[in-house]
Amino acid sequence: MKLDYNELLEMVSEMGFRLMFSGAEIYRVEESVLRLLTAYGLQPQVFALPSCLIVSVNTPSGHPITQMRRVPPHGTDIELLERCNELCRRLCRETPPFEVALDSMKEIERTHKVYSMPTQLAAHFLGCGMFSLFYGGSVWDGLCGGLCGMVICLCLALTSKLGANLFFKTIAGAAASAFVALALTAVGVGQNSDSIIIGALMALVPGIAFTNAMRDIMAGDMVAGISKAAEALLIGAAIALGTALALGLIRPLMGG
């Protein structure tokens, strides 16, 4: 069967795009695309950044073909990442026709699970509540931390619909969470506002992003690693700014 190199490049670029969009490390994206194209008998050149993927190959006739994909802002989806990674390995082993490979990718998209808002609220309640207990809060502080986590979830969903960027979404979520924590403490439901606030803010901490940044830097992908590290630090600054905003406005009114 004669290869259509444009279709092959489009299929492989789509795979790399989906890996990046699900939160894969830069080295994983580049290695996956390289292995996939090599399995089809080509010698590619791949360059990936957190917001861009460039793939180039030379056909046997010497004609270069290049495709670039812009990657929009995204989070981390472990399930989607694992499914795309497994599909990439299977395609490398079997090298099926394009139609089969594209159908497999479309199947992943069709069956991709997106959790409903009630499920996300329950996850935020449980996670943030447990963190509030972990940081020394009482049972009531844990319940308050869970409620603040739900406020963060709702705030992020609302600001996303309004088209806000990640920096302002984080500021809004941190400020709203700290405000609710102080209010719950003021009415006597919560006992330790610090434990409540810290536990709730763990939902915003960019731990995976910072870990991936360090992994990229150690792997030699300095541009991508520094870019991700700067993003993680910016999110940390947004958390501090939003919390300080709520504390600065509310505590003087409470006489604290």
Side-chain angles (χ1 to χ4, degrees), residues 129 132-133 135-145 189-192 195-196:
S132 294
L133 293 175
Y135 287 117
S138 64
V139 174
W140 286 105
D141 292 334
L143 294 174
C144 292
V189 179
Q191 300 172 357
N192 189 340
S195 296
I196 297 172

Side-chain angles (χ1 to χ4, degrees), residues 7-158:
E7 288 187 1
L8 175 61
L9 193 59
E10 182 177 355
M11 183 267 289
V12 174
S13 299
E14 179 67 20
M15 174 61 72
F17 172 84
R18 295 192 182 190
L19 283 168
M20 291 189 69
F21 194 76
S22 61
E25 307 93 323
I26 294 298
Y27 85 92
R28 184 193 298 270
V29 175
E30 291 184 342
E31 183 178 357
S32 298
V33 173
L34 281 169
R35 288 180 179 272
L36 193 51
L37 284 170
T38 302
Y40 280 92
L42 296 175
Q43 296 297 322
Q45 295 291 330
V46 184
F47 180 70
L49 292 173
S51 60
C52 181
L53 173 65
I54 302 174
V55 185
S56 179
V57 297
N58 285 324
T59 65
S61 62
H63 180 66
I65 305 176
T66 301
Q67 184 166 126
M68 182 178 70
R69 294 292 301 271
R70 172 74 176 178
V71 183
H74 57 276
T76 302
D77 190 327
I78 299 298
E79 180 190 10
L80 182 61
L81 173 58
E82 287 297 324
R83 294 184 65 184
C84 289
N85 193 55
E86 176 59 30
L87 175 60
C88 183
R89 293 181 179 182
R90 180 162 63 84
L91 294 179
C92 288
R93 292 193 305 266
E94 302 173 1
T95 59
F98 304 125
E99 296 79 7
V100 176
L102 289 175
D103 286 343
S104 299
M105 286 194 288
K106 290 178 181 178
E107 180 64 21
I108 289 179
E109 185 176 358
R110 283 194 302 267
T111 59
H112 178 223
K113 183 184 298 183
V114 178
Y115 293 103
S116 64
M117 181 54 65
T119 303
Q120 295 182 44
L121 289 172
H124 277 77
F125 179 85
L126 182 61
C128 294
M130 292 297 104
F131 271 117
S132 294
L133 293 175
F134 177 79
Y135 287 117
S138 64
V139 174
W140 286 105
D141 292 334
L143 294 174
C144 292
L147 292 175
C148 291
M150 296 174 69
V151 170
I152 290 177
C153 181
L154 291 172
C155 191
L156 292 178
L158 177 61

